[in-house]
C-alpha cells in the first residue's frame, strides 16, 4: 500500500485519506500523507486501537478527524442541507451514482446474497412499487 500510494502521488503523498478500517495499519497511511494532510476515520472494521506515529502527525502537521453519519442524520439542519445537496447534485448530473444491479423488493433475500458475495461494482438498488 505504501509503495502504491507513493507511486500514484509521485512521492508527494495523499492530501486527504478516508479510512473505514482503522486499527494498527493506520500508521502506514499517515506515513504516506502529504504535509498538512487530512485524515478521516469513518469506520472501525478493525476495532483494535490505531497506532499513530507522533512524528508523522507533528512533522507533517496532519489533521485527524473522526466521522460517523449520525453527525448529520441526528441534526435536522445538517440533514436538510445534505438532502438538498444530494438532490440538486443528482438533478444537475454532478453526482452520477453507478448502479450495479437492481432488485425488486420481493427479491430482497437475493439482493442480500448478491451484496454478501461482494462482487458488485457500484450500488445495489432495491425498488419498492
Amino acid at each position: 500500500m505504501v509503495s502504491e500510494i507513493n507511486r500514484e502521488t509521485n512521492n508527494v503523498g495523499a492530501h486527504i485519506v478516508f479510512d473505514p478500517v482503522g486499527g494498527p495499519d493506520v500508521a502506514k497511511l499517515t506515513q504516506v500523507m502529504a504535509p498538512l494532510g487530512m485524515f478521516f476515520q469513518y469506520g472501525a472494521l478493525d476495532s483494535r486501537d490505531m497506532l499513530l506515529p507522533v512524528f508523522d502527525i507533528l512533522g507533517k502537521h496532519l489533521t485527524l478527524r473522526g466521522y460517523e453519519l449520525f453527525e448529520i442524520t441526528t441534526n435536522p439542519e445538517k440533514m436538510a442541507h445534505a438532502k438538498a445537496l444530494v438532490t440538486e447534485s443528482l438533478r444537475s448530473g454532478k453526482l452520477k451514482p453507478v448502479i450495479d444491479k437492481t432488485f425488486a423488493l420481493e427479491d430482497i433475500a437475493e439482493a442480500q446474497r448478491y451484496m454478501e458475495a461482494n462482487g458488485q461494482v457500484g450500488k445495489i438498488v432495491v425498488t419498492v412499487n
Side-chain angles (χ1 to χ4, degrees):
M1 176 175 61
V2 169
S3 62
E4 186 68 17
I5 292 170
N6 282 330
R7 186 180 65 74
E8 287 293 323
T9 65
N10 294 318
N11 293 313
V12 171
H15 294 282
I16 300 175
V17 171
F18 295 94
D19 183 16
V21 179
D25 283 341
V26 167
K28 292 177 183 174
L29 294 171
T30 59
Q31 178 184 343
V32 293
M33 289 181 70
L36 302 175
M38 295 179 66
F39 178 91
F40 291 86
Q41 187 68 44
Y42 70 95
L45 293 173
D46 185 336
S47 61
R48 295 176 293 170
D49 285 342
M50 296 188 304
L51 303 175
L52 299 168
V54 69
F55 290 113
D56 282 346
I57 296 167
L58 293 174
K60 296 179 185 182
H61 309 113
L62 301 179
T63 298
L64 296 108
R65 186 183 191 298
Y67 171 82
E68 36 88 28
L69 73 111
F70 302 113
E71 180 179 327
I72 292 177
T73 60
T74 59
N75 180 313
E77 186 176 306
K78 287 182 178 181
M79 187 64 180
H81 178 72
K83 284 181 183 179
L85 180 66
V86 170
T87 300
E88 177 52 35
S89 296
L90 287 168
R91 188 176 292 121
S92 71
K94 288 181 182 177
L95 182 61
K96 298 175 186 171
V98 175
I99 307 298
D100 180 84
K101 194 166 184 178
T102 302
F103 294 87
L105 181 59
E106 51 270 13
D107 298 323
I108 193 74
E110 184 183 344
Q112 179 70 30
R113 284 190 292 276
Y114 187 74
M115 182 182 72
E116 289 175 356
N118 204 26
Q120 79 273 8
V121 176
K123 297 300 178 184
I124 299 168
V125 175
V126 177
T127 57
V128 179
N129 295 327

